[in-house]
């Protein structure tokens, strides 16, 4: 979880906003919430999948960027391409370009995004490692 300092939508006081990402049952989930100590306004928003760009960028700025290393991708190229295409909603060309980097870092993002991809790949028998 990361905390962001921002303004309450109701009273415009500076408050802490909590942002989280998690992997639950092979689903990437995110949430943003706060309870204003000044006016008691409570906000919570969550969804399945990758968070909106501004929230994702804040997580990356706070936690740093993580990489996913796919091990033995040559043995599982079709499986890896299918999993990455489905999870990242990318073209075949983009997925194959990712694999061209093997054995160096293949995909970058937040820690939970990389854990999510790792779990998806491992469910298909492909070994992957998340590194900072």
């Amino acid at each position: 979880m990361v905390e962001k300092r921002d303004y309450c939508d109701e009273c415009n006081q500076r408050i802490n906003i909590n942002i989280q990402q998690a992997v639950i049952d092979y689903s990437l989930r995110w949430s943003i919430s706060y309870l204003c100590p000044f006016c008691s306004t409570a906000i919570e928003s969550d969804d399945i999948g990758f968070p909106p760009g501004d929230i994702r960028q804040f997580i990356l700025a706070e936690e740093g960027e993580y990489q996913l290393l796919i091990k033995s991708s040559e043995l599982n190229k079709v499986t890896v391409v299918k999993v990455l295409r489905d999870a990242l909603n990318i073209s075949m060309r983009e997925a194959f370009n990712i694999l061209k980097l093997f054995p160096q870092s293949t995909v970058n993002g937040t820690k939970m995004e990389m854990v999510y991809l790792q779990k998806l790949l491992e469910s298909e028998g492909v070994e992957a490692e998340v590194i900072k």
Side-chain angles (χ1 to χ4, degrees):
M1 178 176 68
V2 295
E3 278 193 352
K4 176 182 177 181
R5 294 285 293 166
D6 209 340
Y7 295 93
C8 173
D9 289 339
E10 193 65 33
C11 69
N12 211 32
Q13 295 287 328
R14 277 197 54 89
I15 58 169
N16 292 329
I17 298 174
N18 299 312
I19 302 171
Q20 289 186 290
Q21 273 188 310
V23 177
I24 302 171
D25 296 330
Y26 298 99
S27 292
L28 178 64
R29 298 170 185 255
W30 64 271
S31 67
I32 183 168
S33 62
Y34 71 81
L35 174 60
C36 179
F38 303 101
C39 71
S40 298
T41 295
I43 300 288
E44 178 142 357
S45 180
D46 56 50
D47 204 352
I48 296 173
F50 290 86
D54 58 335
I55 293 172
R56 185 173 185 269
Q57 289 304 317
F58 185 78
I59 295 169
L60 287 168
E62 289 296 308
E63 292 183 344
E65 192 171 75
Y66 286 77
Q67 292 83 39
L68 181 70
L69 296 176
I70 300 168
K71 299 180 178 185
S72 304
S73 67
E74 293 303 320
L75 302 175
N76 307 294
K77 191 173 265 188
V78 172
T79 302
V80 170
V81 168
K82 182 184 180 330
V83 169
L84 292 179
R85 284 193 69 215
D86 291 346
L88 300 173
N89 195 27
I90 58 176
S91 70
M92 281 284 266
R93 179 177 301 282
E94 290 170 304
F96 277 117
N97 286 339
I98 289 171
L99 289 180
K100 285 180 188 175
L101 299 173
F102 179 80
Q104 297 174 6
S105 174
T106 52
V107 182
N108 301 329
T110 69
K111 182 177 182 179
M112 285 297 110
E113 291 167 357
M114 296 305 99
V115 169
Y116 165 65
L117 294 175
Q118 178 187 35
K119 285 186 175 288
L120 292 178
L121 288 166
E122 288 178 350
S123 74
E124 297 291 330
V126 177
E127 188 179 350
E129 179 181 358
V130 176
I131 61 170
K132 184 151 184 163

